[in-house]
Amino acid sequence: MTEFWPALSMATFFPLIGAIGILTIRGTEEEVARNARWTALWVSLITFIISLFLWIDFDASQAGFQFVERNDWMPELNITYHMGIDGISMFFVLLSTFLTPICVLASWEAIKTNVKEYMISFLILETMMVGMFCALDFVLFYIFFEGVLIPMFLIIGVWGGPRRVYAAFKFFLYTLLGSVLMLLAILTMYFEANTTDIPTLMGFGFSADLQIWLWLACFASFAVKVPMWPVHTWLPDAHVEAPTAGSVILAGVLLKMGAYGFLRFSIPMMPLASEFFTPLIFTLSIIAVIYTSLVALAQEDMKKLIAYSSVAHMGIVTVGVFAMNQQAVQGAIVQMLSHGVVSAALFLCVGVVYDRIHSRDISSYGGLVNRMPKYSLVFMLFMLASIGLPGTSGFVGEFLVLVGLFQVNTLVATLAATGMFLGVAYMLYLYRRVIFGKLTKEELFTILDLDRREIAIFAPLVLVVLWMGIFPNSFLDPIDASVARLIENYHFALATGEGVSDVLSATLLAGAQR
Amino acid sequence: MTVLSEILPAAPEIFLAIATMILMMIGVFASQERAMRIVSSLAVLAILVTMGISVLQGQTTLIAFNGLFVINAFTVFTKVLVLLGSLLTLIISQDYARREHMAQFEFPILILFATVGMMMMISANDLISLYLGIELQSLSLYVIAAFQRDTVRSSEAGLKYFVLGALSSGMLLYGCSLIYGFAGTTQFAQLTETFHENGEASLGVVVGVVFLTTGLAFKVSAVPFHMWTPDVYEGAPTPVTAFFSVAPKIAAIALFVRTMIGPLNGLVADWQQIIIAISIASMTLGALAAIAQSNIKRLMAYSSIGHVGYALIGLAVGTEAGVHGILVYMSIYLAMNIGTFTCILSMRRNGQAVEGIEDLAGFGKTHPRMAFAMLVFMFSMAGIPPLAGFFGKLYVFLAAIQSGLFTLAIIGVVTSVIGAYYYLRIIKIMYFDESVETLDRQTARPVGFVMAIAAFVTIFFIIWPTPVINSAAVAAAALFPG
């Protein structure tokens, strides 16, 4: 089916066309708002359907890139418009297109001002996200990667909470500083390899000492995005101040950009440096897992708590990615997908009560189960999925990462498991304080349970979480071949290439002799 | 026949100069109310014709006036940019001139004379013709900076510009005379040969080159010779500031490139460090000093200093890729800068022009379209893809990396992040803040038109960058024969 039309370009640019369509809506403020909402919903749903075809037509047995499109773009620099997906990126495209309609629905009533502009920002954001996961040219990737900043900056800044200006600036400048360094790495690669084509660069084999610099420059960018400790501080601010749907996209998709970058660029293009820096990644990730879990335990603000839990979960992902064996990497990818859905859902859960009470403080809630049984059930499911209860999506990812990690480094695996234990503590603690107990607060006496729109938002998320937990193979199979090839190439490069540590010690030796 | 072939390369300049003088006559004899309108429209036409002649001249290298004057692909490309800058300025300034009581027909005339001067600068092939071009340009610019005779600020700007500009011209001339004294010629072609043969330059020549560089740095307002820029930008009438920020800047950069890459190419080792230093200083100052500004024209002055710093990266590299980067950068800079100034021109409250950044508060609600255009320009200036400004930066950094100037590139990207802060601040004020008093709604049609075109170019450059990039490549190649 998809061989007849450029599926990836359609999935990428259809939201943009929709955004232009919304731009032309005229009429009274109310009409504009209503039409903008419906257009955005339909456009994002159609995009989701287009991306479903990608999954259906995806050939899981093939490790290479599929649905490849290639056109001249800047021929004098040998930069092409090159799109394609493999097992690693396919589900991220789906995750982006899946979450966007949910975000549109979640903003249905919460956003009352500038609805048109809001929906345009979201659709442009979707274009950037999908394009980024599909791009097979480094410059193209970079354009999408940075382009995400523009709509996200506006979403946080215009529709955010009281400290939105600070949060938006911090988000923007932090991520920008990381990415410009990556730009220099891209240019350096370009002059080494004379191309920015990602598949070509993957097999190029940069010299070991160059790899170190390239890796560090890319690390600056990806580590901020992940975010890894200690550059995670923008995340709690951005999450707390962003509107609910902004947090959903931020946690659901944008955080995956960093880890995706490691998988797509750092490891295949700079395998020697990746091996050299693995202890650094392990250390930072373990600190992130344990430290941010402890920080989360002390939070009074629900969104902040979930934000810190995101940092901890992404720590598990990064150790998994750099453990570099089949289970761990596959686990890391599944963990990212799971976290994308679960943390998005948790933010939506916070959004539900925030829309009613306009407070994110844990202390202003309590005993919600008495008035909101459906809500409590949904919240519980996602809370348990976040903890990693068997049968939910969270379990599959964490389990696979730990299994893989155990073979590589027992100590790191043990410490990571400790972090998960702390995760149980803060999530249960949160749940107890918000949901259980006596309903004593006056403003909660009249609080209403989920309405139909909110059920429509949560139903697909619940389904996906359970599906991933019960039949993980439908997600693991398409990933399998691409990850296997990634790992094979990585170990091959390590076996044939002169290790970075050899080069470094040789350089140091030469320096000492001089 | 021989006479014709001698002057034909200068046909655009000659046409524009004669047209300007005719326009001056028309202006004098036309009735006072209509003079401005007639002269402006004809001036626009004259520039269009000049541009046409320039383009028709093609891309072959021709030398005229016994080696005083040269045209090649590079000069044609930069002349078109300069003419575009003048053209757009003329179009957007009419409405402002009428409102602010500066609708005298001398205004377009002076812009045209300055343009002739700039074209002369670009095509100069001799230190003498270089100086002639600079002076014709500068003298016209001094006058239009002070064009609002009745306001103190404008007069002050003109005077300041004149005093400092004259000083820099003096330094430049002194540098030229030193070079002449030690090299024995003022012709670019002979200078190129001399410096290529003996790579070791005598001390006198080096001092001359330093003075020459100083003078040119003054004209492009690179740090540490930037002091005049904020004051002049702030004080001059807004259309004049718009003009200053594009046409003379492009012309001066082009002249800078031609002198450094042409006759002084053999001395690259001597001047490269100077250019690197002023480039770093400009980028840093442009990024830091703009943060604290509250007047938007002043902010744009620092922003333009920063942009010159980025363009100078391309010159510091000194390669064909570097020149290519500069040309792409300046083309994009032209679009986004003119666009920004159309927005600034439209900032009025109760008929009065306002210039405070805080006056933009709530702009996003009251003027959604204009605010959107401004948003595009600001993100583009900050160098965020997918907007055009990113590609300008991409090409200069590309050149820097290619030549191994990693430190320069790293400083460049870091300052661009710092600089992003103040561009974001404008967006923040427009979109995140609530307005206290709204600005007037109506925008003059030509201004809106130019704004729309500039925004269009800035957004859609990504889809089809090839025309600009290719012609810039041809232009850059013209400076590196063989």
Side-chain angles (χ1 to χ4, degrees):
Chain A
M1 175 105 191
T2 40
E3 60 262 39
F4 302 115
W5 33 282
L8 291 181
S9 291
M10 279 186 66
T12 306
F13 293 108
F14 190 69
L16 191 64
I17 296 169
I20 295 169
I22 293 180
L23 199 62
T24 58
I25 294 176
R26 293 272 179 278
T28 62
E29 206 177 326
E30 202 146 308
E31 280 170 20
V32 170
R34 200 183 55 230
N35 291 337
R37 285 186 188 116
W38 280 108
T39 321
L41 183 63
W42 278 112
V43 167
S44 52
L45 278 176
I46 293 171
T47 316
F48 178 57
I49 292 167
I50 296 174
S51 64
L52 275 182
F53 278 108
L54 295 175
W55 190 6
I56 294 167
D57 284 3
F58 190 82
D59 180 3
S61 60
Q62 212 183 321
F65 291 101
Q66 305 181 26
F67 309 105
V68 174
E69 295 166 33
R70 190 164 199 166
N71 285 306
D72 270 356
W73 181 35
M74 294 201 272
E76 60 290 326
L77 285 187
N78 205 3
I79 297 173
T80 52
Y81 173 79
H82 192 179
M83 304 278 263
I85 50 174
D86 65 355
I88 296 174
S89 52
M90 195 257 287
F91 281 115
F92 291 112
V93 173
L94 264 107
L95 183 65
S96 314
T97 56
F98 172 66
L99 286 179
T100 309
I102 289 176
C103 285
V104 172
L105 267 180
S107 319
W108 209 260
E109 275 154 23
I111 302 297
K112 292 188 177 68
T113 52
N114 299 333
V115 179
K116 180 174 152 187
E117 289 79 1
Y118 182 84
M119 293 301 168
I120 292 174
S121 303
F122 252 96
L123 291 180
I124 292 178
L125 186 61
E126 187 179 11
T127 289
M128 297 295 172
M129 294 185 303
V130 175
M132 188 194 64
F133 289 122
C134 295
L136 282 189
D137 186 284
F138 217 152
V139 172
L140 190 65
F141 168 83
Y142 184 81
I143 287 171
F144 286 124
F145 187 79
E146 276 221 322
V148 165
L149 297 182
I150 298 179
M152 204 61 215
F153 175 75
L154 294 175
I155 288 170
I156 298 176
V158 179
W159 295 277
R163 283 174 72 240
R164 59 186 199 272
V165 175
Y166 172 75
F169 271 73
K170 196 169 177 183
F171 162 74
F172 194 99
L173 296 175
Y174 245 80
T175 22
L176 182 63
L177 183 62
S179 9
V180 289
L181 292 174
M182 183 173 74
L183 178 66
L184 295 183
I186 296 175
L187 297 179
T188 313
M189 285 179 167
Y190 169 72
F191 283 112
E192 281 290 310
N194 201 22
T195 179
T196 50
D197 192 52
I198 289 172
T200 320
L201 287 175
M202 281 179 177
F204 183 77
F206 296 97
S207 71
D209 45 345
L210 185 62
Q211 280 193 19
I212 296 269
W213 293 109
L214 295 177
W215 195 93
L216 284 173
C218 289
F219 176 71
S221 171
F222 299 144
V224 172
K225 278 276 177 188
V226 168
M228 296 182 75
W229 185 86
V231 284
H232 65 282
T233 58
W234 62 269
L235 184 73
D237 287 314
H239 267 320
V240 169
E241 299 306 326
T244 304
S247 301
V248 168
I249 286 291
L250 207 53
V253 184
L254 298 202
L255 297 195
K256 311 301 173 294
M257 289 160 60
Y260 173 74
F262 283 131
L263 279 172
R264 177 65 79 230
F265 304 103
S266 299
I267 288 171
M269 294 179 193
M270 302 145 238
L272 304 176
S274 297
E275 194 220 9
F276 180 73
F277 284 113
T278 299
L280 172 76
I281 295 273
F282 281 174
T283 316
L284 294 182
S285 305
I286 290 303
I287 294 175
V289 171
I290 294 173
Y291 166 76
T292 51
S293 298
L294 289 173
V295 173
L297 211 46
Q299 293 308 312
E300 288 302 318
D301 181 311
M302 287 197 269
K303 269 187 152 184
K304 230 175 187 160
L305 189 147
I306 300 171
Y308 278 110
S309 86
S310 290
V311 181
H313 281 133
M314 290 312 287
I316 304 275
V317 169
T318 41
V319 282
V321 165
F322 278 85
M324 258 301 137
N325 53 37
Q326 187 76 23
Q327 291 94 334
V329 174
Q330 268 190 312
I333 294 174
V334 172
Q335 167 76 354
M336 278 196 264
L337 297 174
S338 155
H339 176 258
V341 177
V342 172
S343 68
L346 286 172
F347 277 116
L348 287 168
C349 287
V350 176
V352 166
V353 286
Y354 181 78
D355 286 346
R356 290 165 171 69
I357 308 293
H358 296 285
S359 165
R360 290 182 311 255
D361 286 339
I362 297 172
S363 54
S364 35
Y365 298 97
L368 285 182
V369 68
N370 301 312
R371 289 279 313 168
M372 307 175 76
K374 286 185 227 162
Y375 174 74
S376 305
L377 178 71
V378 170
F379 196 173
M380 184 180 73
L381 179 78
F382 292 123
M383 184 264 302
L384 292 176
S386 165
I387 291 170
L389 187 80
T392 61
S393 59
F395 173 72
V396 183
E398 289 191 352
F399 180 74
L400 281 174
V401 169
L402 282 187
V403 168
L405 199 58
F406 232 90
Q407 303 162 19
V408 179
N409 193 324
T410 330
L411 178 66
V412 173
T414 316
L415 289 172
T418 319
M420 288 173 198
F421 168 72
L422 286 170
V424 175
Y426 62 73
M427 284 317 283
L428 288 178
Y429 188 41
L430 167 75
Y431 193 74
R432 188 190 70 78
R433 284 186 288 172
V434 173
I435 303 291
F436 294 150
K438 278 221 177 78
L439 192 64
T440 50
K441 309 222 166 35
E442 234 169 77
E443 61 272 25
L444 299 181
F445 288 163
T446 52
I447 197 166
L448 294 173
D449 206 350
L450 299 180
D451 61 20
R452 237 189 273 155
R453 178 182 60 92
E454 284 158 343
I455 292 172
I457 295 173
F458 283 115
L461 291 166
V462 170
L463 266 179
V464 170
V465 166
L466 291 177
W467 184 6
M468 282 180 78
I470 299 170
F471 303 107
N473 270 358
S474 46
F475 293 89
L476 287 171
D477 284 346
I479 302 175
D480 191 63
S482 299
V483 170
R485 196 185 60 152
L486 173 79
I487 290 166
E488 189 186 316
N489 288 346
Y490 173 75
H491 289 298
F492 179 73
L494 291 192
T496 51
E498 193 178 3
V500 167
S501 31
D502 301 343
V503 175
L504 272 192
S505 52
T507 330
L508 288 178
L509 232 97
Q513 278 166 357
R514 207 183 305 137
Chain B
M1 195 59 215
T2 47
V3 175
L4 198 63
S5 70
E6 271 293 282
I7 65 170
L8 214 49
E13 286 80 1
I14 294 170
F15 170 78
L16 193 57
I18 293 175
T20 311
M21 287 184 244
I22 294 173
L23 283 183
M24 192 148 59
M25 286 297 129
I26 295 176
V28 172
F29 288 106
S31 70
Q32 225 174 0
E33 312 78 83
R34 292 168 54 211
M36 171 71 175
R37 218 179 44 237
I38 298 173
V39 174
S40 294
S41 326
L42 288 175
V44 167
L45 193 68
I47 289 184
L48 281 174
V49 174
T50 316
M51 217 186 292
I53 303 175
S54 272
V55 173
L56 284 181
Q57 281 181 320
Q59 307 188 320
T60 45
T61 305
L62 294 173
I63 299 205
F65 300 112
N66 295 320
L68 285 175
F69 190 92
V70 66
I71 61 163
N72 53 34
F74 179 85
T75 66
V76 171
F77 185 87
T78 41
K79 272 180 200 170
V80 170
L81 286 188
V82 164
L83 286 167
L84 269 177
S86 307
L87 180 78
L88 296 175
T89 314
L90 276 177
I91 294 174
I92 61 176
S93 58
Q94 308 228 6
D95 174 65
Y96 185 93
R98 208 174 51 246
R99 287 163 185 269
E100 300 291 318
H101 314 294
M102 45 178 273
Q104 279 114 352
F105 71 90
E106 289 90 344
F107 182 70
I109 301 279
L110 283 167
I111 287 203
L112 289 187
F113 272 128
T115 310
V116 176
M118 290 174 218
M119 294 170 73
M120 190 67 205
M121 282 159 64
I122 292 171
S123 270
N125 200 30
D126 187 295
L127 292 174
I128 303 286
S129 48
L130 176 154
Y131 185 72
L132 271 178
I134 287 189
E135 281 308 279
L136 177 55
Q137 178 220 225
S138 302
L139 285 169
S140 317
L141 294 185
Y142 302 149
V143 181
I144 50 172
F147 206 75
Q148 274 178 323
R149 286 177 295 194
D150 303 332
T151 63
V152 181
R153 279 203 317 169
S154 178
S155 313
E156 183 195 324
L159 189 64
K160 222 174 232 171
Y161 192 23
F162 173 67
V163 172
L164 290 172
L167 178 72
S168 79
S169 293
M171 284 200 266
L172 190 126
L173 203 54
Y174 185 52
C176 292
S177 65
L178 275 173
I179 292 176
Y180 174 60
F182 282 87
T185 177
T186 56
Q187 293 244 337
F188 278 12
Q190 287 174 21
L191 285 173
T192 313
E193 261 172 49
T194 321
F195 293 141
H196 261 295
E197 272 161 26
N198 44 355
E200 280 292 298
S202 66
L203 193 61
V205 169
V206 172
V207 173
V209 169
V210 170
F211 272 103
L212 184 67
T213 319
T214 309
L216 290 172
F218 226 105
K219 300 291 177 198
V220 298
S221 67
V223 179
F225 309 105
H226 65 283
M227 285 81 96
W228 58 274
T229 324
D231 294 336
V232 173
Y233 274 41
E234 189 185 348
T238 311
V240 176
T241 313
F243 184 58
F244 280 1
S245 70
V246 286
K249 196 142 274 184
I250 294 170
I253 292 258
L255 177 67
F256 212 157
V257 170
R258 281 213 45 235
T259 349
M260 291 302 161
I261 305 293
L264 303 182
N265 201 13
L267 308 177
V268 104
D270 292 305
W271 57 256
Q272 190 179 36
Q273 43 197 328
I274 304 178
I275 305 289
I276 291 180
I278 61 176
S279 165
I280 290 176
S282 303
M283 291 187 295
T284 315
L285 186 111
L288 293 176
I291 291 174
Q293 300 308 320
S294 58
N295 179 301
I296 194 155
K297 280 158 77 182
R298 225 177 153 78
L299 182 136
M300 288 305 291
Y302 284 109
S303 145
S304 84
I305 292 172
H307 283 296
V308 163
Y310 293 109
L312 287 180
I313 291 182
L315 182 58
V317 172
T319 59
E320 192 175 324
V323 177
H324 185 204
I326 296 180
L327 293 178
V328 173
Y329 199 96
M330 292 323 278
S331 319
I332 292 165
Y333 172 78
L334 172 73
M336 53 193 192
N337 218 49
I338 279 285
T340 311
F341 272 100
T342 56
C343 296
I344 298 175
L345 274 173
S346 312
M347 286 168 60
R348 329 175 57 84
R349 180 173 297 140
N350 307 325
Q352 284 288 307
V354 289
E355 295 168 0
I357 297 176
E358 299 295 334
D359 290 322
L360 283 170
F363 205 53
K365 278 220 187 73
T366 54
H367 303 65
R369 277 187 242 171
M370 211 191 299
F372 175 73
M374 190 72 165
L375 171 110
V376 168
F377 300 132
M378 289 300 116
F379 274 126
S380 176
M381 292 233 188
I384 309 297
L387 301 167
F390 166 72
F391 291 91
K393 293 220 164 79
L394 178 74
Y395 274 86
V396 289
F397 289 137
L398 201 66
I401 295 282
Q402 188 184 23
S403 301
L405 294 176
F406 292 104
T407 322
L408 192 57
I410 289 172
I411 294 175
V413 292
V414 170
T415 53
S416 83
V417 174
I418 303 172
Y421 172 78
Y422 62 82
Y423 296 122
L424 290 184
R425 194 172 137 234
I426 294 182
I427 295 169
K428 174 223 148 199
I429 290 167
M430 288 196 305
Y431 280 94
F432 305 177
D433 291 358
E434 292 296 324
S435 60
V436 191
E437 272 183 278
T438 55
L439 298 172
D440 293 356
R441 276 200 168 274
Q442 76 273 37
T443 308
R445 193 170 291 168
V447 177
F449 179 68
V450 172
M451 190 190 301
I453 290 185
F456 184 84
V457 170
T458 314
I459 296 174
F460 291 103
F461 181 84
I462 182 172
I463 293 179
W464 202 38
T466 322
V468 174
I469 287 171
N470 277 358
S471 35
V474 174
L479 287 192
F480 295 87

